[in-house]
Amino acid sequence: MTKIRIAIQKSGRLNNDSLSMLKDCGISIDNGKDQLKADARNFPMEVFYLRNGDIPQYLRDGVVDIAIIGENVLIEKGEDIGIVEKLGFSKCRVSLAVPKAMEYNSVNDFEGKRIATSYPNTVKNYLKERGVNADLHIINGSVEIAPNIGLADAICDIVSSGSTLFKNNLKEVEVMLKSEAVLAESTNISAARKEILEKLRFRIKSVLQARQSKYVLLNAPNEKLKNIIQILPGMRSPTVLPLAEEGWSSVHTVIKKDKFWEVIDELKRAGAEGILVCPIEKMVL
């Protein structure tokens, strides 16, 4: 039986979020402690647990067919590898940071400076586009300590909350790129495995749509119904059902999470009452 081979990060937040995504897609993984390879019980899939930085080469060599990986890693090590789907989790940015006491005006301040980083290609390309020359020190590990021990004048690293920079007396000054987890595809994937990938993509899209949406039910007086319906975005159009109380209707619709509070405020002003908000587990379009 043909199985699709997927790589995910061996440990860390991306590992947890990736397994959560597969679980939400209805895929159960037989995963024992410290296993480097596991099978799915109810989907034709093998899971490989790999170091994040090694995944692009495994994709390139066709050892795995697809991977859930940080977009920043592909930009650094796998620009030739295609992105199938952006997954919306493990969001971060790759930034340049300097000591808090350093006065910073523009990217030109990095001219001739020593920058410690695990992302040399990303930094080199970013500075080259801006005509800046710097001395890069490649460090595989925690780079935040480099300015404090005199190894570098600045660093380039992943930033999520910024708390690690703050603790190391650094400040973020240039955001070079924004990143999130993506589903990447090997150029060597077979036609049979490509079919399995499309089934997986369908499930992932349903999960992503659900995560980005809320199901809303509300009561509305019939004389205000027209105005309330005009406010609602809905997937196609809202569902309207008569209530037992004469002159009132129940309205059901879906609202995108990023516009949720603005729409709710408008609905209240338009006369909506008894607004009930529910999470959506899956949304198939």
Side-chain angles (χ1 to χ4, degrees):
M1 177 181 168
T2 302
K3 294 183 177 182
I4 196 164
R5 301 161 299 178
I6 183 171
I8 67 171
Q9 187 175 322
K10 188 162 60 173
S11 60
R13 192 179 70 168
L14 191 52
N15 168 276
N16 296 331
D17 289 342
S18 300
L19 290 175
S20 177
M21 168 62 78
L22 293 178
K23 184 179 178 183
D24 288 347
C25 288
I27 299 171
S28 301
I29 314 275
D30 288 322
N31 182 32
K33 192 176 181 200
D34 297 328
Q35 271 186 281
L36 296 180
K37 186 165 86 73
D39 288 312
R41 287 198 302 272
N42 55 354
F43 193 81
M45 175 183 284
E46 288 180 298
V47 181
F48 290 71
Y49 298 96
L50 305 172
R51 285 179 63 244
N52 212 29
D54 294 339
I55 290 175
Q57 193 59 48
Y58 278 86
L59 283 166
R60 199 175 281 117
D61 293 343
V63 175
V64 295
D65 306 302
I66 55 174
I68 296 177
I69 187 172
E71 189 177 5
N72 56 296
V73 179
L74 286 186
I75 290 170
E76 176 64 26
K77 295 186 172 184
E79 284 194 314
D80 56 320
I81 295 166
I83 292 173
V84 177
E85 202 75 52
K86 294 198 173 189
L87 302 176
F89 58 80
S90 294
K91 291 186 177 182
C92 65
R93 51 197 183 272
V94 180
S95 298
L96 290 164
V98 299
K100 286 181 187 175
M102 176 180 163
E103 183 182 342
Y104 182 80
N105 299 302
S106 73
V107 70
N108 294 322
D109 291 350
F110 288 104
E111 181 68 38
K113 293 290 194 298
R114 298 168 300 162
I115 302 174
T117 184
S118 303
Y119 298 92
N121 294 328
T122 304
V123 179
K124 186 166 60 178
N125 292 337
Y126 184 83
L127 295 180
K128 185 179 179 181
E129 287 173 5
R130 288 153 183 81
V132 176
N133 294 300
D135 184 15
L136 302 186
H137 290 253
I138 302 170
I139 298 178
N140 294 315
S142 299
V143 300
E144 297 87 358
I145 193 69
N148 292 330
I149 61 175
L151 182 63
D153 305 300
I155 70 161
C156 162
D157 203 11
I158 289 175
V159 179
S160 294
S161 66
S163 61
T164 305
L165 293 181
F166 181 80
K167 288 173 188 174
N168 286 277
N169 209 31
L170 299 169
K171 61 183 179 183
E172 185 180 11
V173 292
E174 289 282 333
V175 177
M176 295 191 297
L177 63 94
K178 292 184 179 178
S179 173
E180 63 185 88
V182 298
L183 184 67
E185 176 187 13
S186 169
T187 55
N188 295 312
I189 189 170
S190 68
R193 288 177 171 136
K194 187 87 170 175
E195 281 186 31
I196 301 170
L197 172 57
E198 289 309 307
K199 290 178 183 178
L200 177 63
R201 259 186 98 186
F202 174 76
R203 295 191 186 194
I204 287 174
K205 285 183 175 181
S206 298
V207 170
L208 292 176
Q209 286 285 349
R211 288 182 179 181
Q212 294 161 10
S213 306
K214 295 287 186 185
Y215 190 74
V216 177
L217 302 87
L218 59 90
N219 296 331
N222 288 345
E223 68 269 14
K224 297 180 179 179
L225 198 54
K226 185 178 178 182
N227 289 338
I228 287 172
I229 288 172
Q230 286 176 341
I231 295 167
L232 297 171
M235 287 191 297
R236 190 180 295 271
S237 65
T239 300
V240 180
L241 301 169
L243 289 178
E245 183 178 346
E246 194 174 338
W248 284 79
S249 294
S250 173
V251 181
H252 300 220
T253 192
V254 173
I255 297 177
K256 290 288 184 187
K257 248 163 89 173
D258 58 352
K259 295 179 180 175
F260 174 76
W261 287 113
E262 293 87 342
V263 173
I264 292 297
D265 287 340
E266 281 191 67
L267 290 172
K268 285 182 70 180
R269 284 195 298 269
E273 297 181 14
I275 301 172
L276 180 65
V277 181
C278 305
I280 302 172
E281 186 176 323
K282 308 285 186 298
M283 200 161 103
V284 180
L285 299 179

